Amino acid sequence: HDGMSWVHRATPQVHLEGRTYLRGTTISGSTVALHAFRGLNSAGIQTGIVYLLQDTSAGLDWSSYSVITIEASDGAEGDNLGSLIALWGRTLVAKGGGDLYVFTDTSGPGDWSSFSEAKITASDGTEMDYVDIWGSGAVNGDTIAATRSFEEIVYVFRDVSIANDWSNTTESQLVVPPPPPVGHIQPS
């Protein structure tokens, strides 16, 4: 296959209760994030969860890996955490309800054995319905870009916390002009 290697065992070996579907993936380094649609949290509520699969093999060939379950601490029925996900290094962004949740790996070895959680809500008072996060490139160290569907606004959130845990953020709203009407000729 043109020198590409294929991963064969990247499905979590966990028991998924009820009607849970794995979909939506992103990868950063040796960590894969998977969205578990209709996933049950530790309280048995269908809030949606995110699985992190981390390659633990010596040769980084995925012959062994760990599975970490990520859930929102305030998850509510139907929030569908992880319906959109982005992963960059030790930072995971997951949409849940109308908000963005930012999980930061705080473990020393980078194995997600401990992590912080921050919730980001748009300052304009409305829920961030239909937020789009563009792959792992959307999370660039301390910056997240997101949009609301059918609107010409891009939200840019920046982590300005001293601990780099997203507990303090700034927000910019960038307005994208609508496209010219069909048949309109642009000046050259």
Side-chain angles (χ1 to χ4, degrees):
H1 294 267
D2 298 325
M4 295 177 67
S5 58
W6 297 92
V7 177
H8 299 278
R9 293 174 238 165
T11 303
Q13 301 297 312
V14 293
H15 180 67
L16 302 175
E17 296 290 334
R19 295 178 55 191
T20 300
Y21 306 99
L22 295 177
R23 63 182 192 194
T25 62
T26 185
I27 188 168
S28 178
S30 62
T31 304
V32 173
L34 292 164
H35 165 234
F37 177 66
R38 297 184 182 164
L40 301 177
N41 67 9
S42 56
I45 300 170
Q46 199 173 63
T47 60
I49 54 177
V50 175
Y51 290 113
L52 293 180
L53 284 68
Q54 194 164 47
D55 186 358
T56 57
S57 63
L60 297 177
D61 62 3
W62 291 91
S63 57
S64 64
Y65 55 92
S66 62
V67 178
I68 300 98
T69 302
I70 305 287
E71 59 184 64
S73 60
D74 66 348
E77 181 80 29
D79 273 355
N80 201 15
L81 179 72
S83 57
L84 296 164
I85 53 178
L87 181 64
W88 186 84
R90 295 170 76 151
T91 303
L92 168 71
V93 181
K95 178 184 182 275
D99 302 306
L100 296 177
Y101 289 83
V102 183
F103 301 93
T104 304
D105 178 10
T106 57
S107 68
D111 62 6
W112 288 86
S113 57
S114 63
F115 52 88
S116 64
E117 172 186 335
K119 183 176 179 180
I120 299 175
T121 304
S123 65
D124 59 12
T126 61
E127 287 189 11
M128 295 186 63
D129 294 330
Y130 309 108
V131 175
D132 293 321
I133 302 171
W134 300 283
S136 60
V139 183
N140 188 7
D142 63 356
T143 306
I144 297 171
T147 65
R148 284 195 290 194
S149 293
F150 309 111
E151 293 192 19
E152 288 84 22
I153 298 175
V154 176
Y155 291 82
V156 178
F157 300 99
R158 185 148 190 253
D159 178 19
V160 292
S161 64
I162 294 170
N164 297 320
D165 62 0
W166 293 86
S167 59
N168 187 13
T169 60
T170 62
E171 174 187 322
S172 299
Q173 295 181 11
L174 312 176
V175 178
V176 179
V182 176
H184 179 76
I185 299 174
Q186 293 284 344
S188 52

